[in-house]
Structure formats: structure tokens, C-alpha cells
Amino acid sequence: MSETTSATPGQWVAGARPRTFPAAVVPVVVGTGVAASEGGVVWWRALLALAVALLLQIGVNYANDYSDGVRGTDDARVGPMRLVASGAARPRAVLTAAIACFAAAAVAGLVLVVVTGAWWLVAVGALSIAAAWFYTGGSRPYGYRALGEVSVFVFFGVVAVAGTTYVQVERLPWLALAAAVPVGLLACALLIVNNLRDLDGDRAAGKRTLAVLVGDARTRTLYTVTMLVPFAVAAAFVVVHPLALLCLLALAVAARPVRTVRHGATGPALIDCLRQTGRLQLVFGLLLAVGLAF
């Protein structure tokens, strides 16, 4: 593997993995929908929360690129290019990019801490950055021990939705925690289909993701569950927010990726499924936010 002096702008964008961005955008959108239902939307705070979420997402993607690249885990990768493994960028440059994203997220988050006066959010932010780094970084990365989905549910579900609501209304309504469940499950679905695609390569590299641990068939079942249960949860909101039923319209978007996975697609055939899962996240999240806001 040869290293170039620096990657092109297009390669840096690809390395940021835009297809994973819905996992950062959707919880902020839904959290803002909850804030609207509480009569407390503050748009500039919502935009700052979105900046924090996106910067953390990009940061964790670069951090994973760096850590997996220097370990050699990505040498036989099936999915989109990685900067370090492909030799497009030096490891130190990718690490610097990850740190810069985490630092920028911390600054944006600190602004929200100051305006809300909720200094305990500093600890939440620190835990979020630590979770982002140690997913594949450090000597004992938890992403190599089948804990990635747990972390994604907690940080891209509960923390992101509840945090977005809190920084706008400065309290934590029960609806924020309830709405975090379907959001977190769909974020897990994105990781599950990603790990299903990389199952053989991860197994060969000694990376024990949940997909490697439970096997191909059970991973496909788990993906289906995390794609469909959010609709049941959203339907339950009809008791207090009848328009939450709008989410059921997104079933049409869920059908294709679920069918693809259930029919046994593997390797490169799952790359488009990752994009479709991200699309479902966006559609479902927007519909849920509207349903909860009105």
C-alpha cells in the first residue's frame, strides 16, 4: 500500500461517509419535533445541536478509518474506500481530522452548555467523544466486542434526541425519551447492515462485531426487527399525538431494504441497502417530527 501526500477533497468527503449522516441528523430533527410539541423550539440552539451531532458523526467515521486502517482491519474491505487503508491519506492526517471534528463539536456543545447553564452536559459531551473514539480506538475497542449497537442506540438515540430537546426547552419531557427509541433502533439498523456487509472481512480480521458473533441469519433477522419495530413504537404515540401515524407512510421506503436483506444479499449488493436504510431514517424521522410537533 502506497501513501500519497494528501487525499483529494472528494476522497475526504467519501472518507467522512455521508451515507451515515442520517444517524446524526434524524435525532436532532425528532428532538426538535418534541421541543415544538412542548412549545419551546429555539432554532439557533437546534442548529447548534445539529452541528454537534454531525461533527461527532464525521469525527467517529474518521477515527474508525484511522484505527481500523492502522490495525489492518480494512485491508480486505468490501464497502466504500477508507482513507488510511487505501493509502489515499496518511494515518496522522486522518487522526488529525478526527480530533479537529471532536474539538469543533466540543466548542459548539459548550455554547449550549453556557446558554442553558446545564454544566452536567459537559460530562455527557465528554462521554460522547470517548464513545466515538473507543469504538475502534484504544487497546480494547468495544466495537470489536459486539457492543457497537448498544453505543449507537444510547448516543444516536437517547442522548441525541433527549439532548436536542433539553437544550431548547431546558427540561426533559417523557416524550423525548420515548421518541428516542425508534430513532435509536433505526440508527442500529444502519450499523447492522454495514456490519452484515463486512461480516466475512471482519471475521477474518478478528473484529468481533455483533454480526460476527450471532452469524449471518440472525443478523438479518435483527436488521428486520430494528427496521420494523420503530413503526410499532410510533403507532403507540397516536394516543397523545394522532399525527404520529404519518410515520406509517415510511413503510414503503422500508420494504425494499428489508426484502433485500431477507433474500440473502451479501457483500457489494448490500452497499445500496445501506443508502436505502439511511433514506428510511430521514423519511421516518421527518414524519415523526411533524407528527409529534402538531
Side-chain angles (χ1 to χ4, degrees):
M1 177 182 72
S2 61
E3 290 185 351
T4 59
T5 301
S6 61
T8 66
Q11 288 173 323
W12 279 108
V13 171
R17 301 176 66 193
R19 288 177 181 172
T20 66
F21 288 2
V25 174
V26 169
V28 176
V29 170
V30 172
T32 300
V34 175
S37 75
E38 298 290 319
V41 173
V42 183
W43 289 109
W44 71 268
R45 295 187 185 186
L47 289 173
L48 263 184
L50 179 61
V52 171
L54 280 171
L55 285 165
L56 286 175
Q57 180 68 68
I58 296 171
V60 73
N61 287 341
Y62 284 147
N64 291 349
D65 190 308
Y66 166 78
S67 297
D68 284 343
V70 297
R71 282 192 175 91
T73 307
D74 284 340
D75 289 350
R77 184 172 178 78
V78 174
M81 69 153 304
R82 290 293 185 98
L83 294 164
V84 174
S86 68
R90 294 191 175 110
R92 183 176 294 275
V94 178
L95 176 59
T96 299
I99 293 173
C101 288
F102 292 149
V107 171
L110 189 58
V111 174
L112 291 171
V113 169
V114 171
V115 297
T116 60
W119 290 96
W120 55 269
L121 286 174
V122 172
V124 175
L127 284 173
S128 299
I129 292 174
W133 172 253
F134 288 108
Y135 175 60
T136 57
S139 60
R140 296 176 63 84
Y142 66 85
Y144 284 45
R145 289 169 172 76
L147 293 174
E149 285 77 7
V150 173
S151 178
V152 164
F153 182 84
V154 170
F155 290 100
F156 286 97
V158 178
V159 171
V161 175
T164 298
T165 301
Y166 184 87
V167 297
Q168 295 182 72
V169 303
E170 298 189 22
R171 62 183 184 280
L172 190 58
W174 68 268
L175 186 60
L177 296 175
V181 174
V183 172
L185 287 174
L186 287 176
C188 287
L190 195 69
L191 179 60
I192 290 167
V193 74
N194 180 80
N195 289 342
L196 177 63
R197 181 198 65 202
D198 297 336
L199 194 155
D200 291 336
D202 286 343
R203 181 185 289 125
K207 185 176 181 180
R208 296 180 72 247
T209 63
L210 184 61
V212 170
L213 188 66
V214 305
D216 184 279
R218 289 176 180 173
T219 298
R220 294 176 190 278
T221 299
L222 184 60
Y223 174 77
T224 303
V225 169
T226 55
M227 287 284 277
L228 298 182
V229 168
F231 291 96
V233 176
F237 292 150
V238 70
V239 178
V240 288
H241 289 278
L243 283 180
L245 284 178
L246 284 171
C247 289
L248 297 184
L249 295 174
L251 277 168
V253 184
R256 183 178 173 186
V258 169
R259 184 168 58 249
T260 298
V261 169
R262 295 299 297 173
H263 287 182
T266 60
L270 290 171
I271 294 176
D272 188 55
C273 194
L274 183 67
R275 179 183 61 80
Q276 293 166 18
T277 303
R279 179 187 297 172
L280 171 64
Q281 281 184 291
L282 285 173
V283 174
F284 182 95
L286 288 170
L287 291 173
L288 180 59
V290 170
L292 297 179
F294 298 100

